Amino acid sequence: MIRTFQQHRLRECHLLDGLWDFVFDKDNIGLSEGWHTSFPAAPDQMPVPACWNNELGKFEYEGVAWYRTRVTLEESRHLHLLFHAVLGHADVYWDGNHLGYHFGGYTPFNFTIPNATAGIHELIVRTDSTLELNTIPYHIVDWFHYGGIIRPVEMQLLPDVSIENMRITYEMTGDSSADIRMNLSLRSLSDSSAEVPVSLYRNGELFHTGNVRLKAGERLELNIEQSWTELVRWEPENPELYMIRAVAGRDDRADRIGFRTVEKRNKKILLNGKELYLQGVNRHEEHPEWGFAFPNKLMTKDLDIILQMGCNTVRGSHYPQSEYWLDLLDERGVLFWGEIPIWGAAFPAEHTDDPVFIQRAMTMMSEMIERDFHHPSILFWSVHNEIDTRSKQAYDLSVKMTELVRQKDSSRLVAYATMHPMTDICLGLFDVIGINYYDGWYFGHTKFEEMLSTFHERCKAYGAEETPVLMTEFGGAGIHGDTGWEPRLFSEDYQAEILSKALKLFRSDTKLSGTYVWQFADTRAQLESFRPHFRDRARSFNNKGLVTEYRKPKLAYRVVKGIYTGCTDPYRWGTTLQ
Ligand code: ADA
């Protein structure tokens, strides 16, 4: 299951998941030796989706790897191959023909093969998980350098006329009324013209019908505008969702939307005109046994644990996360901060100017917005995390990316997370500012107050006095089971103490609109954790989780739960306050 609901009922969809032939290409000879037409003999087998690092003997490999599977067609069909996520670089070959290339580990890409012939076909993928200067993420990053085809691969069989895309936008015109605009992109793969009936449904109720004629090979945009009334808004307490389904001839496509408004005013974030206070946590979509190939079942468990803690929001640190996860947030009314993996704590400002880096950043941002546009849970599109926003290069990049986001989606707020709140020069470019600050961990104590007063003062100088501010990262490491009486680094007690003090301060600062604790669960860290920045990655993990990597609660979880829910009994199940 890629979504929590069926996106297609008419379109024939097949998962190509399972065991694929697999070989590492550590000397990068595959291309010159023509592995795309003659795959090496006696290959390994690798599950798809998976991170190869989780398989025995493959933990440390970062680099090129080749995958192959076979597809059998009993008759000629129009084929649509959909890759939901491949880490790093991906080149896809069909019977030795290069279909195309994609860079970026967390957003989907696809290829259409009109009139694929009957027979047995080879689908080969050359992947490269290498992180370096101009990849996103950069090679110095605080998570494990996994590799692989980490989300499902679909083979869809298209009719002559198919729906390439469906986009629903709306403007609220009242509490329960909206002007909606439905854009349907149709495509003909036929060698003759065709007329197809088009029907549009909202929660099973027909709201538009008509016929459309397409010439051979034509692409056609259908735009329908209507005014809807008696709508129920999407709210965290009542996350009302509307299933929109389009049927065009023998093809169909469904997606879900929620009606709400997101805006900022007087330093506050408003949902449906009501001020929000965000109680959140940062969550990597990672588990030590699955890496980034995170199984759906664990998503529901993570979300239950997060809700138990009294959170109303999650920051998807630091990359586009699974659609299934976003569907769960839509259904449970949990607000979301989405971002792409420009993780910049060690990223030299001059690299921000690299045209390849910029092109990749813009593409990834566009792909994330394109994929996730309809999710009502998403409030923020964040363009980068902790790059050197003291520099002109970061300022120039921020101008480009905020313009891109606002051009692609005016219904949400554009954000970023800064680690330089007292020297940042990008403060005035964004709708929301996130501050990452590790007082009590990386640089001793008594810095939060000084930082916040300086920051708030500086906001005036950058025209950001009315910009909402969130504490997007703060915390410290706690090794599960390490408890004691003294405030000692790595003890559960010390971790809980940092968070307790920080939350008390932040929640009393009326200029802050919320907090995201770093982080939900312990996560695998970069292998070379000897680097100065990662001196404290005991076990080669980032141990700042409120729960361990196996989701066992630490003292800090119970302390944060007590603060977020007001529940005095940290061991009481559920978020009831008594
Ligand atoms: C940064 C970064 C996080 C994590 C954190 C830490 O704020 O954004 O991904 O690395 O520091 O644990 O130091």
Side-chain angles (χ1 to χ4, degrees), residues 66-314:
W66 292 72
Y67 289 78
R68 175 184 65 184
T69 192
R70 290 188 176 85
V71 170
T72 302
L73 294 175
E74 285 72 29
E75 57 182 336
S76 172
R77 295 299 300 270
H78 304 312
L79 223 53
H80 183 69
L81 296 171
L82 179 50
F83 293 84
H84 284 276
V86 179
L87 286 176
H89 306 268
D91 282 283
V92 179
Y93 301 88
W94 178 258
D95 293 339
N97 301 308
H98 188 240
L99 295 182
Y101 164 80
H102 180 265
F103 174 77
Y106 309 91
T107 46
F109 55 99
N110 64 72
F111 304 101
T112 299
I113 306 166
N115 304 304
T117 57
I120 298 177
H121 300 272
E122 275 199 338
L123 173 60
I124 290 178
V125 184
R126 177 188 184 276
T127 73
D128 184 355
S129 67
T130 307
L131 297 183
E132 49 202 342
L133 280 185
N134 62 11
T135 55
I136 299 176
Y138 173 61
H139 65 96
I140 302 178
V141 72
D142 190 14
W143 58 82
F144 191 85
H145 295 187
Y146 290 109
I149 301 177
I150 61 166
R151 293 179 191 155
V153 180
E154 277 191 278
M155 175 181 74
Q156 300 179 350
L157 303 177
L158 302 180
D160 279 346
V161 174
S162 63
I163 301 169
E164 274 201 316
N165 196 33
M166 177 170 79
R167 167 70 74 245
I168 305 128
T169 54
Y170 59 82
E171 286 295 326
M172 296 310 294
T173 51
D175 280 347
S176 56
S177 60
D179 288 341
I180 67 109
R181 180 185 171 91
M182 170 85 148
N183 172 279
L184 216 51
S185 306
L186 301 177
R187 181 184 184 186
S188 160
L189 292 170
S190 169
D191 51 14
S192 57
S193 69
E195 179 166 305
V196 294
V198 173
S199 302
L200 305 177
Y201 301 87
R202 182 186 81 188
N203 288 349
E205 185 187 324
L206 184 67
F207 69 84
H208 172 85
T209 184
N211 285 333
V212 178
R213 168 166 291 282
L214 289 93
K215 298 187 194 73
E218 184 184 11
R219 277 189 165 90
L220 183 144
E221 300 281 325
L222 201 54
N223 287 305
I224 289 99
E225 297 182 1
Q226 292 188 355
S227 295
W228 288 358
T229 57
E230 295 172 38
L231 296 169
V232 176
R233 294 230 180 174
W234 187 89
E235 299 267 7
E237 309 74 31
N238 178 33
E240 186 77 20
L241 292 169
Y242 289 82
M243 181 68 78
I244 307 295
R245 182 164 177 258
V247 179
R250 288 183 294 115
D251 197 21
D252 68 339
R253 185 186 184 114
D255 207 348
R256 286 187 321 201
I257 61 173
F259 290 96
R260 87 274 183 271
T261 56
V262 183
E263 51 194 323
K264 59 164 180 134
R265 198 185 310 144
N266 305 329
K267 220 173 174 58
K268 297 296 179 191
I269 298 161
L270 297 94
L271 182 74
N272 294 326
K274 286 177 282 186
E275 287 183 13
L276 285 173
Y277 188 80
L278 296 175
Q279 299 188 155
V281 70
N282 285 275
R283 175 181 173 272
H284 267 286
E285 190 167 79
E286 194 259 5
H287 186 284
E289 300 309 323
W290 281 270
F292 288 144
F294 202 90
N296 294 345
K297 182 261 168 260
L298 290 182
M299 294 178 199
T300 48
K301 177 74 170 286
D302 276 6
L303 184 53
D304 285 344
I305 295 169
I306 286 168
L307 286 169
Q308 283 292 330
M309 190 164 62
C311 291
N312 61 2
T313 183
V314 178

Side-chain angles (χ1 to χ4, degrees), residues 324-345:
Y324 193 92
W325 171 248
L326 298 175
D327 288 340
L328 293 175
L329 302 184
D330 291 342
E331 293 167 8
R332 308 280 289 271
V334 179
L335 303 166
F336 190 69
W337 166 304
E339 65 183 46
I340 60 170
I342 298 183
W343 190 94

